[in-house]
Amino acid sequence: MHTESINDKKLSLTLVDAIVFKHNVQPGAVIPVLQEIQEEYGYIPPAAIQRIANHLGVFSSDIYGMVTFYAQFRLQPPGKNVIKVCHGTACHLGGAERLTEAISQHIGTTEGRTSKDGQFTLERVACLGCCSLAPCVTVNGEIHGRLNPESVGKVVNKLKEEKTANVE
Amino acid sequence: MKRVDDKSWVIKVGLASCGIAAGGSRVFGVFKSKLEGKDLDVELKPVGCIGMCYREVLVEVSSLKGRVFYGQVTPERVERIIDQHIIGGQPVAEWTVPQEEIDSFMSRQKRIVLRNCGIINPESIEDYLDSGGYMALHKALTKTPLDVIDEITRSGLRGRGGAGFATGVKWLMTRKAAGSPKYVICNADEGDPGAFMDRSVLESDPHSVLEGMLIAGHAIGATEGILYVRAEYPLAIQRLEKALEQAREKGFIGNEILGCDFDFNISIRQGAGAFVCGEETALIMSIEGKRGMPRLRPPFPSVSGLWGRPTNINNVETFANVPWIIANGAGAYAAYGTDKSKGTKVFALAGSIARGGLIEVPMGISIREIVNEIGGGTASGTAFKAVQLGGPSGGVIPASMSDIPVDYESINKTGAIVGSGGMIVMDEKACMVDVAKFFLNFTQDESCGKCTFCRLGTRRMLEILEKITGGEGSEADIATLEELAAEIRKSSLCGLGQNAPNPILTTLKYFRDEYMEHITARKCPAKKCQALITYIIEAEKCPGCGLCIRYCPVNAISGNKKEPHTIDPDICIRCGLCNSICRKGAVIAV
Ligand SMILES: Cc1cc2nc3c(=O)[nH]c(=O)nc-3n(C[C@H](O)[C@H](O)[C@H](O)COP(=O)(O)O)c2cc1C
Ligand code: FES
């Protein structure tokens, strides 16, 4: 069975319109609007930026300025699985760099990139607030703590197996 | 609340983010399915975090006969706990947390902010009401706004977001400011890496924060509240949404609250991943849909804040204190703490600490008591070297100074700050130059770019630190660092820039030798800085298992099976994976 993931989704301008209207076409609501669009598509598609700018009567460069200022927003579609490694203080001291290195090896891509097969995106995050279980990562939003280079491999391999199971 | 008798049990599973990260949801699920169909009088309750994160998944089993905590519970252990403890009446002694451990962790604490955390179900307003919730709001609404403000002022409560500004004074300023509507903002941006007080409170006891905001609303004459929560805290947001819905249903939020002439609504706004948006004026810009850049104060938000209106902005922990103060009186709160720092403070203990988690202690307690008595010393069991307080705006305090009391004034004197409450404990494996570099990397990355000195100065300092940790530093670099630090402090608009030099200045002040080792001997005493170490394999310890060969990203390791392996230093990139992975500890840094 192949389930459609968010990065296959075609941009629907009607949906973008609906989100902007839900927030009463207020320029002040641009962050929640962008958040909802990213929630839908996994990133902020350029055509959506143009559309929002038209609605709000601002330049699309203004919206780009917002998207690039706030670290949460992506301009590229992410892979099917998003892994975020915490690089907060506790995780840094607990070996976040090594964890990143180990994950890179397992998924075949480096920080800030998506693997060639589109399966994995590896990102960094400032602190997940789970510092007492450092080092931590999130996998598709789920937090895993007390990791080491070996146990993080298990987490990644499980995702890979799930993928194989889906293909069958 | 359910009546508990001899045969009835309550099982509480810690399901804040820390519990969930440790596998709590699965443990809860297994309890649920195993209890189903059994004729037992058991209430299974999800709770937040009681603070003993190091013991997660933590399960509390209680009856009239007493209560027992199980630590590090796995799904596999559930069945035996049910069979032996619930059905058989005999706790599984080897899995319980020893009473002495609980005592030494808890007995020095005074839990005001954390009064309900880990005890009530955060998703149940009934639980909150049963523990006295919203009684303080009732009480506050029978008082005049000025009386409420007076109570807060007399309690001595100071803002817990970092700066420690007197809360009552701020409320009075906003009360007196002309303009309407007025706003109450709760700052839940918690951007300091290594801090998780606010997350834990929001996930474990969201109503206490809402109640604090409502009381502030009444006191100030505000009609609208906004919770600004960082997007990295999805569970906190989810529980807040639920709490808001319940509070609206019960009439604690909305129009004519509790039959009084008081209308107040609360909504949630999510941050979008910018540390600087924790600064109050930047936060307000962000809510207004702009890029979050701090502006010059005055005017303070109290006078001209959101949409140019009077706005009172407080931190999560500040608000969570408020209902307790109103319920128990200013005097009860001021009975804790020191002369100028009243009450309690929540700290997030992390790093190399045996008992990492969340604690709340009276102001004035010593660092040593926190680290050694409550925290049980370092995780490695070796001596502790320093604590870092205040995150990127704070600094390190060496172990030799750990008898100083934790209050705003005493900590400021060391060059660090109390900050929001992140306390990272470091043992001799932490390199102080690396720690400074870590924070500078953070601040230069998060600088909004508005002030030139903050933007370029932090980058310049980072480059110098990279030079030093790269083995190419000179003594002149230290002087340059100190000059830059003074300039940045002077010419930055907000706390981000003004305090950015603190991690460097404190490490230089207390660990200058360590900098000098890097510069003159080209050595990193903590064996952390990659350019200054070499990894080798100790032949007598190496069983030749091949694990490190498989993990090495650059194929620097070779050797036959069952024979000691060797690392080629010319190929090795010193990532340290082999060192982490080796089960025999055969890979060492020299
Ligand atoms: C760079 C920077 C980041 C800040 N981040 C936070 C934060 O994450 N949470 C917070 O409550 N206060 C933060 N503050 C402090 C706020 O500006 C403000 O002082 C605080 O929210 C006031 O609340 P309080 O009086 O209850 O402490 C930050 C300040 C600066 C300069
Ligand atoms: S430092 Fe990684 S969770 Fe806080």
Side-chain angles (χ1 to χ4, degrees):
Chain A
M1 197 189 73
H2 178 76
T3 44
E4 188 192 47
S5 78
I6 50 174
N7 61 356
D8 300 331
K9 215 170 196 168
K10 288 256 157 4
L11 179 72
S12 147
L13 290 178
T14 340
L15 186 73
V16 174
D17 295 349
I19 292 173
V20 178
F21 285 119
K22 194 176 110 191
H23 291 278
N24 303 322
V25 206
Q26 272 179 30
V30 58
I31 294 175
V33 165
L34 290 169
Q35 283 169 332
E36 284 183 38
I37 288 176
Q38 179 148 308
E39 181 78 22
E40 281 296 329
Y41 299 103
Y43 74 115
I44 311 289
I49 292 183
Q50 188 58 54
R51 190 76 169 188
I52 300 169
N54 290 348
H55 277 305
L56 300 182
V58 299
F59 294 113
S60 55
S61 59
D62 292 335
I63 310 283
Y64 267 108
M66 296 289 287
V67 171
T68 49
F69 183 84
Y70 290 102
Q72 182 188 18
F73 299 121
R74 290 189 198 100
L75 281 164
Q76 300 292 326
K80 286 209 164 100
N81 298 296
V82 178
I83 302 179
K84 296 186 185 180
V85 182
C86 175
H87 286 266
T89 320
C91 292
H92 172 75
L93 292 169
E97 302 294 337
R98 292 179 184 188
L99 221 49
T100 304
E101 186 68 51
I103 297 171
S104 296
Q105 281 207 56
H106 283 292
I107 65 177
T109 190
T110 50
E111 189 177 282
R113 293 170 187 270
T114 300
S115 60
K116 282 209 184 75
D117 60 3
Q119 287 299 317
F120 293 100
T121 297
L122 184 56
E123 296 181 344
R124 64 187 287 142
V125 41
C127 171
L128 296 166
C130 257
C131 325
S132 45
L133 274 75
C136 304
V137 309
T138 62
V139 177
N140 302 327
E142 198 185 316
I143 300 190
H144 299 257
R146 291 185 188 132
L147 293 169
N148 59 45
E150 210 172 355
S151 59
V152 82
K154 286 190 195 134
V155 176
V156 173
N157 284 335
K158 218 171 126 208
L159 291 172
K160 285 187 181 162
E161 280 159 26
E162 275 162 23
K163 179 211 157 194
T164 336
N166 278 346
V167 170
E168 276 163 3
Chain B
M1 201 191 281
K2 197 168 156 300
R3 238 195 59 238
V4 186
D5 63 37
D6 223 13
K7 292 226 166 49
S8 63
W9 299 85
V10 181
I11 301 180
K12 295 179 179 177
V13 182
L15 289 181
S17 287
C18 44
I20 292 173
S25 305
R26 276 183 298 129
V27 169
F28 188 84
V30 178
F31 264 113
K32 198 166 172 201
S33 66
K34 298 260 182 213
L35 287 168
E36 243 159 50
K38 284 203 173 73
D39 188 23
L40 294 170
D41 185 8
V42 178
E43 186 191 6
L44 178 65
K45 202 199 259 284
V47 296
C49 170
I50 204 160
M52 302 168 83
C53 308
Y54 67 101
R55 279 290 199 172
E56 292 290 359
V57 178
L58 195 68
V59 174
E60 180 194 326
V61 177
S62 61
S63 70
L64 267 193
K65 283 190 193 143
R67 66 173 189 178
V68 161
F69 284 98
Y70 290 99
Q72 285 111 333
V73 177
T74 57
E76 294 74 33
R77 292 185 173 184
V78 170
E79 188 152 22
R80 194 168 146 209
I81 294 175
I82 296 177
D83 287 346
Q84 188 176 321
H85 192 164
I86 306 281
I87 300 175
Q90 282 302 320
V92 188
E94 69 257 42
W95 296 341
T96 60
V97 182
Q99 191 57 44
E100 312 84 78
E101 182 183 320
I102 298 172
D103 289 346
S104 60
F105 189 77
M106 292 290 181
S107 62
R108 284 173 183 79
Q109 295 195 45
K110 172 62 201 167
R111 296 166 74 91
I112 291 175
V113 171
L114 305 180
R115 58 195 178 275
N116 295 319
C117 295
I119 295 168
I120 67 168
N121 177 352
E123 300 197 7
S124 155
I125 193 169
E126 274 74 26
D127 263 27
Y128 184 66
L129 291 169
D130 281 340
S131 59
Y134 290 109
M135 291 303 286
L137 177 63
H138 275 274
K139 192 169 171 188
L141 288 177
T142 64
K143 296 179 172 220
T144 67
L146 286 177
D147 283 344
V148 173
I149 294 176
D150 185 54
E151 191 82 40
I152 297 297
T153 306
R154 281 186 297 111
S155 76
L157 176 64
R158 295 170 65 170
R160 300 298 189 228
F165 190 81
T167 305
V169 174
K170 196 190 270 187
W171 286 19
L172 191 62
M173 248 157 68
T174 323
R175 168 95 223 163
K176 285 189 174 157
S180 79
K182 292 181 181 175
Y183 297 97
V184 170
I185 296 179
C186 174
N187 189 342
D189 200 43
E190 194 159 63
D192 278 1
F196 52 92
M197 303 75 51
D198 298 349
R199 172 191 63 71
S200 199
V201 171
L202 293 171
E203 288 177 357
S204 307
D205 192 18
H207 285 288
S208 68
V209 180
L210 301 185
E211 192 177 357
M213 290 177 74
L214 282 156
I215 294 169
H218 166 62
I220 287 152
T223 48
E224 207 181 315
I226 297 167
L227 275 150
Y228 187 90
V229 193
R230 68 195 289 247
E232 290 83 353
Y233 288 175
L235 186 64
I237 293 169
Q238 192 189 315
R239 289 190 179 158
L240 278 169
E241 278 169 351
K242 192 148 197 175
L244 282 175
E245 197 186 303
Q246 295 168 338
R248 270 188 212 111
E249 248 166 47
K250 296 263 185 211
F252 296 122
I253 296 176
N255 294 337
E256 296 182 5
I257 293 166
L258 300 173
C260 299
D261 179 24
F262 174 46
D263 301 346
F264 197 78
N265 279 300
I266 301 181
S267 57
I268 298 176
R269 281 296 289 267
Q270 285 189 38
F275 171 67
V276 74
C277 287
E279 194 280 335
E280 53 193 25
T281 61
L283 187 153
I284 288 169
M285 297 269 267
S286 165
I287 296 181
E288 290 175 347
K290 301 175 195 140
R291 293 195 287 169
M293 293 193 175
R295 64 158 174 78
L296 200 64
R297 300 171 307 176
F300 287 95
S302 294
V303 175
S304 175
L306 185 59
W307 311 116
R309 301 289 191 281
T311 302
N312 184 83
I313 175 161
N314 280 125
N315 166 261
V316 170
E317 190 184 329
T318 313
F319 281 123
N321 272 301
V322 167
W324 192 95
I325 294 171
I326 297 298
N328 297 278
Y333 191 77
Y336 297 102
T338 61
D339 197 25
K340 291 202 176 118
S341 304
K342 298 291 182 200
T344 59
K345 177 77 196 86
V346 180
F347 286 99
L349 269 183
S352 174
I353 181 89
R355 302 186 199 131
L358 205 67
I359 60 163
E360 181 173 359
V361 288
M363 288 274 189
I365 192 174
S366 71
I367 294 174
R368 186 189 306 282
E369 269 179 285
I370 294 180
V371 173
N372 288 345
E373 311 298 333
I374 300 177
T378 60
S380 54
T382 54
F384 95 85
K385 179 173 177 179
V387 294
Q388 207 283 342
L389 269 176
S393 311
V396 297
I397 299 175
S400 60
M401 290 170 68
S402 60
D403 282 322
I404 58 160
V406 177
D407 62 47
Y408 291 107
E409 287 68 30
S410 312
I411 298 292
N412 281 353
K413 271 188 223 143
T414 68
I417 58 169
V418 171
S420 61
M423 187 182 279
I424 307 279
V425 182
M426 293 179 275
D427 59 21
E428 85 284 353
K429 280 204 223 91
C431 165
M432 291 299 138
V433 190
D434 176 72
V435 167
K437 187 176 80 175
F438 166 80
F439 283 116
L440 256 293
N441 190 25
F442 181 88
T443 30
Q444 77 79 38
D445 206 38
E446 295 290 345
S447 166
C448 76
K450 186 167 169 174
C451 307
T452 317
F453 250 100
C454 174
R455 184 178 72 236
L456 299 178
T458 53
R459 189 178 308 160
R460 184 81 189 90
M461 291 204 292
L462 176 63
E463 282 163 7
I464 295 174
L465 290 173
E466 277 169 348
K467 223 175 106 191
I468 297 175
T469 55
E472 281 154 16
S474 66
E475 261 181 81
D477 286 334
I478 292 189
T480 316
L481 280 177
E482 281 164 339
E483 281 158 28
L484 281 166
E487 271 316 315
I488 295 172
R489 174 163 288 176
K490 223 172 43 215
S491 1
S492 300
L493 206 60
C494 86
L496 188 145
Q498 288 157 6
N499 294 323
N502 287 351
I504 296 186
L505 292 177
T506 50
T507 45
L508 268 176
K509 183 168 167 191
Y510 301 118
F511 297 96
R512 191 176 278 258
D513 288 356
E514 220 169 299
Y515 278 83
M516 292 317 290
E517 277 279 291
H518 285 72
I519 291 169
T520 50
R522 304 266 184 260
K523 281 212 155 61
C524 172
K527 306 271 184 276
K528 173 89 185 176
C529 297
Q530 291 177 342
L532 305 178
I533 54 172
T534 312
Y535 281 106
I536 56 160
I537 296 178
E538 292 190 305
E540 53 294 4
K541 282 192 196 155
C542 174
C545 70
L547 194 62
C548 57
I549 298 183
R550 263 189 287 139
Y551 269 86
C552 179
V554 289
N555 297 323
I557 310 180
S558 56
N560 295 326
K561 254 204 140 38
K562 300 210 165 120
E563 282 169 28
H565 301 340
T566 51
I567 301 175
D568 183 339
D570 293 334
I571 306 177
C572 174
I573 53 168
R574 295 161 181 88
C575 70
L577 265 188
C578 49
N579 168 275
S580 287
I581 215 90
C582 179
R583 298 193 177 112
K584 302 283 178 205
V587 184
I588 56 164
V590 289

